[in-house]
Amino acid sequence: MAKIFFLSMLLLSVFMSSLIAQEPVTPTSSPSERPLKDTPESPKQWKIEECVKRISEDCANSIYGNIFLHNKEVISTNCCEQLVSLGKECHDTLVNDILKSPEAKGKKSTFLRNSLNVWNHCVKAITN
């Protein structure tokens, strides 16, 4: 159930971001060379899509469950490695995009706290 909800929210997020984009952008460099900030060369939609591509579905679901569904399962070291390799900016971009959904209304501070806890846990898990 969490997997279906997560994928639905993610697809909705990407779809909504595509509606926000004013005009299509033709890539001029490889994704790894582009900055992850809002500029005409790399709109928010691109950030979200690139961030999603860089983490496995299983890990995304595990992390999502811990942040938004209050799952208490331990996030695996492998998933923590994937999350930290995404970088804090990607993590925050994805979380903040999901926070725009009506389902998150009134729970933003809890979800942001959960997000920070997951990030800190993963950083600690891969540095030990």
Side-chain angles (χ1 to χ4, degrees):
M1 181 73 168
K3 182 177 180 178
I4 293 169
F5 180 74
F6 172 75
L7 291 175
S8 298
M9 292 303 298
L10 196 53
L11 290 173
L12 177 64
S13 172
V14 171
F15 174 72
M16 294 303 290
S17 296
S18 68
L19 294 177
I20 294 170
Q22 296 295 321
E23 58 187 61
V25 176
T26 305
T28 56
S29 60
S30 70
S32 62
E33 296 172 351
R34 289 188 229 149
L36 286 178
K37 58 184 180 181
D38 289 328
T39 66
E41 295 81 29
S42 61
K44 184 178 178 194
Q45 178 186 359
W46 176 85
K47 281 198 298 190
I48 293 169
E49 290 172 359
E50 287 303 309
C51 292
V52 168
K53 288 179 191 176
R54 295 169 34 201
I55 192 164
S56 72
E57 184 178 335
D58 288 340
C59 290
N61 288 330
S62 176
I63 293 163
Y64 178 88
N66 271 266
I67 296 171
F68 297 101
L69 302 176
H70 309 293
N71 291 352
K72 299 299 180 194
E73 73 179 64
V74 175
I75 299 172
S76 71
T77 303
N78 176 49
C79 290
C80 281
E81 288 171 350
Q82 288 185 42
L83 176 65
V84 174
S85 74
L86 281 179
K88 184 85 164 90
E89 186 176 358
C90 266
H91 174 67
D92 290 346
T93 297
L94 293 170
V95 168
N96 286 323
D97 202 59
I98 293 169
L99 287 176
K100 294 176 184 174
S101 72
E103 292 85 0
K105 188 174 183 172
K107 302 174 188 172
K108 184 176 180 177
S109 62
T110 299
F111 293 150
L112 287 172
R113 184 174 50 252
N114 292 349
S115 171
L116 183 59
N117 289 340
V118 165
W119 178 262
N120 290 339
H121 163 78
C122 283
V123 168
K124 187 175 181 180
I126 67 167
T127 57
N128 287 336

